[in-house]
Amino acid sequence: PIINVDAPVYEEDLVACIVASDNLAAGQICGEDMLKRIKGGKVVILGHPTTKTGIDRIAKFKEIIEANPTFSIAADQSSEGQLEIAMPVMENIIQGNPDIAAVMCVNDPTALGAIAALRAANAMEGVLIYGVDGAPDAKKTIKNGEMTGTAAQSPKNIGIIGVEMAYKILNGETVEKHIPVPVQLITAENVDEFGLDGWQ
């Protein structure tokens, strides 16, 4: 039996179960936090449309924007989940959109690339920036005030649940195909509770 952890596969019939972060919730909690902070404006999306995790995160975030006509999507481009790609992509977007209100990023490396581009363009002030992961570098960037929030995954819980499912399967028990692992939003208000050096 194959237990798929972290990044869900497309061919679900080939695996016994999938243990992964609740990626729809990740997009949702970032969008909901944005709505609490600003009333509207241009939003940039830096996604990763070739991964199921990236598709789910961005799709849920877009639902929130589409339900609020005061927001518009100024750009929706791929970063491939990489800082080195996100930075030049964001640099190009800034040139045509000097009045960006928020940036939703598919993961934390993408968010760090967007921040680097905004910083280089002297355009950081007032821009909300969201990522997904809860990586140590992202938490430090939230602490210093440059990043707004990250929908934090818990690699520790994913690993624990994956092992639990393995034992159940080997014992002949039936397990659910999809086991979503909860995510939680880390912002300046609660970052100290999570610590800056490790993962959750």
Side-chain angles (χ1 to χ4, degrees):
I2 297 171
I3 298 166
N4 172 206
V5 299
D6 186 36
V9 295
Y10 283 102
E11 298 292 341
E12 296 182 357
D13 291 343
L14 299 179
V15 300
C17 75
I18 300 168
V19 181
S21 297
D22 189 339
N23 287 297
L24 291 171
Q28 181 173 345
I29 59 178
C30 289
E32 288 173 349
D33 187 77
M34 180 189 70
L35 294 183
K36 293 175 185 175
R37 295 176 188 270
I38 55 175
K39 300 298 183 185
K42 290 183 178 180
V43 179
V44 170
I45 293 174
L46 296 177
H48 192 2
T50 58
T51 63
K52 190 171 189 316
T53 53
I55 292 167
D56 286 349
R57 293 169 187 175
I58 298 304
K60 198 66 179 178
F61 182 83
K62 281 183 178 177
E63 273 186 31
I64 291 173
I65 292 180
E66 289 163 1
N68 290 270
T70 55
F71 290 92
S72 62
I73 297 175
D76 181 358
Q77 296 189 31
S78 175
S79 66
E80 296 183 27
Q82 299 179 42
L83 188 157
E84 297 81 4
I85 294 174
M87 186 175 175
V89 169
M90 190 67 197
E91 286 172 347
N92 289 335
I93 292 170
I94 292 167
Q95 291 177 12
N97 299 277
D99 52 349
I100 296 166
V103 185
M104 174 62 193
C105 302
V106 71
N107 61 9
D108 286 347
T110 295
L112 295 174
I115 288 168
L118 288 161
R119 194 190 300 126
N122 196 28
M124 277 287 299
E125 188 174 354
V127 180
L128 305 182
I129 300 163
Y130 293 94
V132 179
D133 280 338
D137 284 348
K139 290 186 284 187
K140 290 170 186 173
T141 309
I142 289 169
K143 181 72 174 175
N144 73 22
E146 289 186 314
M147 189 168 168
T148 310
T150 179
Q153 305 188 81
S154 178
K156 293 177 182 178
N157 285 333
I158 290 172
I160 290 167
I161 295 168
V163 171
E164 290 172 348
M165 293 306 105
Y167 278 117
K168 286 185 176 183
I169 291 167
L170 292 174
N171 286 332
E173 298 177 42
T174 301
V175 301
E176 295 289 330
K177 174 70 81 170
H178 292 273
I179 302 170
V181 180
V183 295
Q184 51 194 134
L185 189 69
I186 298 178
T187 65
E189 288 77 20
N190 66 357
V191 66
D192 289 334
E193 299 171 21
F194 292 86
L196 303 180
D197 296 324
W199 288 80
Q200 301 61 244

